[in-house]
Amino acid sequence: MSEGVFANRYPHFLKGRILKREMLENIRDYSRDFLDLYFQDYSNGIIAGVNVVVSETMLVITQGIVKYNNRIYMLLTDHKLPYQATGKELMLKIRFAEEVNELDFTTFTTDIVLDDLMEPTHNELELGRFKLKPGSSLRSAHIDFSDFATEYNTVNYIHCQYAGIHKSTYHPIILQYFAQELLKNRPSNAYDIAFALECLNQDRVQRDVIDFYVSNRLGLEYQEYTNLQIHKYLSRILLETKTGARLTANNQARPKRMIVD
């Protein structure tokens, strides 16, 4: 087969045929090569799955795919991690270990940890955070868009690093809540309609799209916003579409007053 052209080659395992090394290498490498090529332009972060589900005493991290340092890591079975109510903010994160070289394999492993160090280190990736009061119950099901910022007893995805093209983006679960609430307000603004449909129709919205939407929609100077700033500005947009009033930084849902002479 000539080199340097697109190809799809798969082995034939037939009775009486000699099992060759190249046939096994083809099976070994195909899925790995596919993943590496498909996600080659993605940043570090969650690619798919890896949601947090809460049970009475356990956090269940669901199956999924993440990328870190140009390597794809797959969680093929749900992972359970115990938690307790401490009243302190805790971060759930993946901690990536150094590679281990052995005779037959080079292995890249991870741990999923929960601690109160709220700045991820260079080898960590945040999956979520929460602050659980003693005697209260933790929940991962959210009521509405604003609920993602609830301080206590709720899993918070706002700071989560979700993989995007060349740079990480905002968690799609939060954007889906935003889009559904926005469309229920029957927006007339073209930016609102286009962005909401993008949030509902795509598995992720790229970071630049979010930043341009926020800046153009609110008349702000374009910049790269933090995840927390994005949530604040999206909350303002929801309030505007609900009340019909244009809000500014100094006029957050302030009621109008009528002065009668």
Side-chain angles (χ1 to χ4, degrees), residues 71-111:
R71 294 187 185 92
I72 300 297
Y73 294 76
M74 292 188 292
L75 180 65
L76 299 178
T77 58
D78 292 350
H79 179 82
K80 294 183 179 180
L81 188 70
Y83 71 93
Q84 294 179 333
T86 65
K88 299 168 59 179
E89 191 169 30
L90 301 175
M91 181 184 292
L92 178 67
K93 47 197 170 184
I94 304 173
R95 182 172 294 155
F96 297 87
E98 296 291 332
E99 65 181 78
V100 176
N101 289 299
E102 300 172 323
L103 184 61
D104 294 323
F105 294 96
T106 296
T107 306
F108 299 89
T109 60
T110 66
D111 289 318

Coordinates of all heavy atoms in Angstrom, one line a residue, residues 71-111:
R71 N -2.6 13.6 25.8 CA -3.0 12.2 25.9 C -4.4 12.1 26.2 O -5.0 12.8 27.0 CB -2.1 11.5 27.0 CG -0.6 11.5 26.6 CD 0.2 10.7 27.6 NE 1.6 10.8 27.3 CZ 2.4 11.7 27.8 NH1 1.9 12.5 28.7 NH2 3.7 11.7 27.5
I72 N -5.0 11.0 25.7 CA -6.4 10.7 25.9 C -6.5 9.7 27.1 O -5.8 8.7 27.0 CB -7.1 10.1 24.7 CG1 -7.1 11.2 23.5 CG2 -8.5 9.7 25.0 CD1 -7.8 12.4 23.8
Y73 N -7.3 9.9 28.1 CA -7.6 9.0 29.2 C -9.0 8.6 29.2 O -9.9 9.5 29.0 CB -7.2 9.7 30.5 CG -5.8 10.0 30.7 CD1 -5.2 11.1 30.1 CD2 -5.0 9.2 31.6 CE1 -3.8 11.4 30.3 CE2 -3.6 9.5 31.8 CZ -3.1 10.6 31.2 OH -1.8 11.0 31.4
M74 N -9.3 7.3 29.3 CA -10.7 6.9 29.3 C -11.0 6.2 30.7 O -10.3 5.4 31.2 CB -10.9 5.9 28.2 CG -10.9 6.5 26.8 SD -11.4 5.4 25.5 CE -10.0 4.2 25.5
L75 N -12.2 6.6 31.2 CA -12.7 5.9 32.4 C -13.8 5.0 31.9 O -14.9 5.5 31.4 CB -13.3 7.0 33.4 CG -13.9 6.5 34.7 CD1 -12.9 5.8 35.5 CD2 -14.6 7.6 35.4
L76 N -13.6 3.7 31.9 CA -14.5 2.8 31.3 C -15.6 2.2 32.2 O -16.6 1.6 31.8 CB -13.7 1.6 30.8 CG -12.6 2.0 29.7 CD1 -11.9 0.7 29.2 CD2 -13.3 2.6 28.5
T77 N -15.4 2.4 33.5 CA -16.5 2.1 34.5 C -16.7 3.2 35.5 O -15.7 4.0 35.7 CB -16.1 0.8 35.3 OG1 -14.9 1.0 36.0 CG2 -16.0 -0.4 34.3
D78 N -17.9 3.4 36.0 CA -18.1 4.5 37.0 C -17.2 4.3 38.2 O -16.9 3.2 38.6 CB -19.6 4.4 37.4 CG -20.6 4.8 36.3 OD1 -20.1 5.3 35.3 OD2 -21.8 4.6 36.5
H79 N -16.8 5.4 38.7 CA -15.8 5.4 39.8 C -16.5 6.0 41.0 O -17.2 7.1 40.9 CB -14.6 6.2 39.5 CG -13.6 6.3 40.6 ND1 -12.7 5.3 40.9 CD2 -13.4 7.2 41.6 CE1 -11.9 5.6 41.9 NE2 -12.3 6.8 42.4
K80 N -16.4 5.3 42.2 CA -17.1 5.8 43.4 C -16.0 6.4 44.4 O -15.0 5.8 44.6 CB -17.9 4.7 44.1 CG -19.1 4.2 43.2 CD -19.9 3.2 44.0 CE -21.1 2.7 43.2 NZ -21.9 1.7 43.8
L81 N -16.4 7.5 45.0 CA -15.5 8.1 45.9 C -16.3 8.6 47.2 O -17.3 9.3 47.0 CB -14.8 9.3 45.3 CG -13.7 10.0 46.0 CD1 -12.5 9.2 46.1 CD2 -13.4 11.4 45.3
P82 N -15.9 8.2 48.4 CA -16.7 8.6 49.6 C -16.5 10.1 49.8 O -15.5 10.7 49.5 CB -16.1 7.8 50.7 CG -14.7 7.4 50.2 CD -14.8 7.3 48.7
Y83 N -17.5 10.7 50.4 CA -17.4 12.1 50.8 C -18.1 12.3 52.2 O -18.9 11.5 52.6 CB -18.1 13.0 49.8 CG -19.6 12.9 49.7 CD1 -20.4 13.8 50.4 CD2 -20.2 11.9 48.9 CE1 -21.8 13.7 50.4 CE2 -21.6 11.8 48.9 CZ -22.4 12.7 49.6 OH -23.7 12.6 49.6
Q84 N -17.8 13.4 52.8 CA -18.4 13.8 54.1 C -18.7 15.3 54.1 O -18.1 16.0 53.4 CB -17.4 13.4 55.3 CG -17.1 11.9 55.4 CD -16.2 11.7 56.6 OE1 -15.3 12.5 56.9 NE2 -16.3 10.5 57.2
A85 N -19.6 15.6 55.0 CA -19.9 17.0 55.2 C -18.9 17.7 56.1 O -18.7 17.3 57.3 CB -21.3 17.2 55.8
T86 N -18.2 18.6 55.6 CA -17.1 19.3 56.4 C -17.4 20.8 56.6 O -16.8 21.4 57.4 CB -15.8 19.2 55.7 OG1 -15.8 19.9 54.5 CG2 -15.4 17.7 55.4
G87 N -18.4 21.3 55.9 CA -18.7 22.8 55.9 C -17.7 23.6 55.2 O -17.8 24.8 55.1
K88 N -16.6 23.0 54.6 CA -15.6 23.6 53.9 C -15.8 23.3 52.4 O -16.3 22.3 52.0 CB -14.2 23.2 54.3 CG -13.9 23.5 55.8 CD -12.6 22.7 56.2 CE -11.4 23.1 55.4 NZ -10.2 22.4 55.9
E89 N -15.3 24.2 51.6 CA -15.4 24.0 50.1 C -14.3 22.9 49.7 O -13.2 23.0 50.1 CB -15.1 25.3 49.3 CG -15.4 25.2 47.9 CD -15.4 26.5 47.1 OE1 -14.7 27.4 47.6 OE2 -16.2 26.6 46.2
L90 N -14.8 21.9 49.0 CA -14.0 20.8 48.5 C -14.0 20.8 47.0 O -15.0 21.1 46.4 CB -14.5 19.5 49.1 CG -14.5 19.4 50.6 CD1 -15.2 18.1 51.0 CD2 -13.2 19.5 51.3
M91 N -12.9 20.4 46.5 CA -12.7 20.3 45.0 C -12.5 18.8 44.6 O -11.7 18.1 45.2 CB -11.6 21.1 44.5 CG -11.4 21.0 43.0 SD -10.0 21.9 42.3 CE -10.5 23.6 42.7
L92 N -13.3 18.4 43.7 CA -13.2 17.0 43.1 C -12.3 17.1 41.8 O -12.6 17.9 41.0 CB -14.6 16.4 42.7 CG -14.6 15.1 42.1 CD1 -14.1 14.0 43.1 CD2 -16.0 14.7 41.6
K93 N -11.3 16.4 41.8 CA -10.3 16.5 40.6 C -9.6 15.2 40.2 O -9.5 14.3 41.1 CB -9.3 17.6 41.0 CG -8.7 17.5 42.3 CD -8.0 18.8 42.7 CE -7.5 18.8 44.1 NZ -6.9 20.1 44.5
I94 N -9.2 15.2 39.0 CA -8.3 14.1 38.5 C -6.9 14.6 38.7 O -6.5 15.7 38.4 CB -8.6 13.9 37.0 CG1 -10.0 13.6 36.8 CG2 -7.7 12.7 36.6 CD1 -10.4 13.5 35.3
R95 N -6.1 13.7 39.3 CA -4.7 13.9 39.5 C -3.9 13.0 38.6 O -4.0 11.8 38.7 CB -4.3 13.8 41.0 CG -2.8 14.1 41.3 CD -2.6 14.1 42.8 NE -3.4 15.1 43.5 CZ -3.7 15.1 44.7 NH1 -3.5 14.1 45.5 NH2 -4.4 16.1 45.2
F96 N -3.1 13.5 37.7 CA -2.4 12.7 36.7 C -1.0 12.4 37.3 O -0.2 13.3 37.7 CB -2.3 13.5 35.4 CG -3.6 13.8 34.8 CD1 -4.3 14.9 35.1 CD2 -4.2 12.9 33.9 CE1 -5.6 15.2 34.6 CE2 -5.4 13.1 33.3 CZ -6.1 14.3 33.6
A97 N -0.7 11.1 37.3 CA 0.6 10.6 37.7 C 1.7 10.7 36.6 O 1.3 10.8 35.4 CB 0.5 9.2 38.3
E98 N 2.9 10.6 37.0 CA 4.0 10.5 36.1 C 4.0 9.2 35.4 O 3.5 8.2 35.9 CB 5.4 10.7 36.8 CG 5.6 12.0 37.4 CD 5.7 13.1 36.4 OE1 6.2 12.8 35.3 OE2 5.4 14.3 36.7
E99 N 4.5 9.1 34.1 CA 4.5 7.9 33.4 C 5.3 6.9 34.1 O 6.3 7.2 34.7 CB 4.9 8.1 32.0 CG 6.4 8.6 31.8 CD 6.8 8.8 30.4 OE1 6.5 9.9 29.9 OE2 7.5 7.9 29.8
V100 N 5.0 5.6 33.9 CA 5.7 4.5 34.5 C 6.1 3.6 33.3 O 5.3 3.1 32.5 CB 4.9 3.7 35.5 CG1 5.7 2.4 35.9 CG2 4.5 4.5 36.6
N101 N 7.4 3.4 33.1 CA 7.9 2.6 32.0 C 8.3 1.2 32.5 O 9.1 1.0 33.5 CB 9.2 3.2 31.4 CG 8.8 4.5 30.6 OD1 8.1 4.4 29.6 ND2 9.4 5.6 31.0
E102 N 7.7 0.2 31.9 CA 7.9 -1.2 32.2 C 8.4 -1.9 31.0 O 8.5 -1.3 29.9 CB 6.7 -1.8 32.8 CG 6.2 -1.2 34.1 CD 4.9 -1.7 34.6 OE1 4.0 -1.9 33.7 OE2 4.7 -1.8 35.8
L103 N 8.7 -3.2 31.1 CA 9.2 -4.0 30.0 C 8.2 -4.0 28.8 O 8.6 -3.8 27.7 CB 9.6 -5.4 30.4 CG 10.2 -6.3 29.4 CD1 11.5 -5.7 28.9 CD2 10.4 -7.7 29.9
D104 N 6.9 -4.2 29.1 CA 5.9 -4.4 28.1 C 5.1 -3.2 27.8 O 4.4 -3.1 26.8 CB 5.0 -5.6 28.4 CG 5.8 -6.9 28.4 OD1 6.7 -7.0 27.5 OD2 5.5 -7.8 29.2
F105 N 5.0 -2.2 28.8 CA 4.1 -1.1 28.7 C 4.7 0.2 29.2 O 5.5 0.1 30.1 CB 2.8 -1.4 29.5 CG 1.9 -2.5 29.0 CD1 2.0 -3.8 29.5 CD2 1.0 -2.3 28.0 CE1 1.2 -4.8 29.0 CE2 0.2 -3.3 27.5 CZ 0.3 -4.6 28.0
T106 N 4.2 1.3 28.7 CA 4.4 2.6 29.3 C 3.0 3.0 29.8 O 2.0 3.0 29.0 CB 4.9 3.6 28.3 OG1 6.2 3.3 27.9 CG2 5.0 5.0 29.0
T107 N 2.8 3.2 31.1 CA 1.5 3.4 31.7 C 1.4 4.8 32.2 O 2.3 5.4 32.9 CB 1.3 2.4 32.8 OG1 1.5 1.1 32.3 CG2 -0.1 2.5 33.4
F108 N 0.2 5.5 31.9 CA -0.1 6.8 32.4 C -1.4 6.6 33.3 O -2.4 6.2 32.7 CB -0.4 7.8 31.3 CG 0.8 8.0 30.4 CD1 1.1 7.2 29.3 CD2 1.7 9.0 30.7 CE1 2.2 7.5 28.5 CE2 2.8 9.3 29.9 CZ 3.1 8.5 28.8
T109 N -1.3 6.8 34.6 CA -2.4 6.6 35.5 C -2.9 7.9 36.1 O -2.2 8.9 36.0 CB -2.0 5.6 36.6 OG1 -0.9 6.1 37.3 CG2 -1.6 4.2 35.9
T110 N -4.0 7.8 36.8 CA -4.6 8.9 37.5 C -5.2 8.5 38.8 O -5.4 7.3 39.0 CB -5.7 9.6 36.7 OG1 -6.8 8.7 36.5 CG2 -5.2 10.0 35.3
D111 N -5.4 9.4 39.7 CA -6.3 9.3 40.9 C -7.4 10.3 40.8 O -7.2 11.4 40.2 CB -5.5 9.5 42.1 CG -4.5 8.4 42.4 OD1 -4.8 7.2 42.2 OD2 -3.3 8.7 42.8

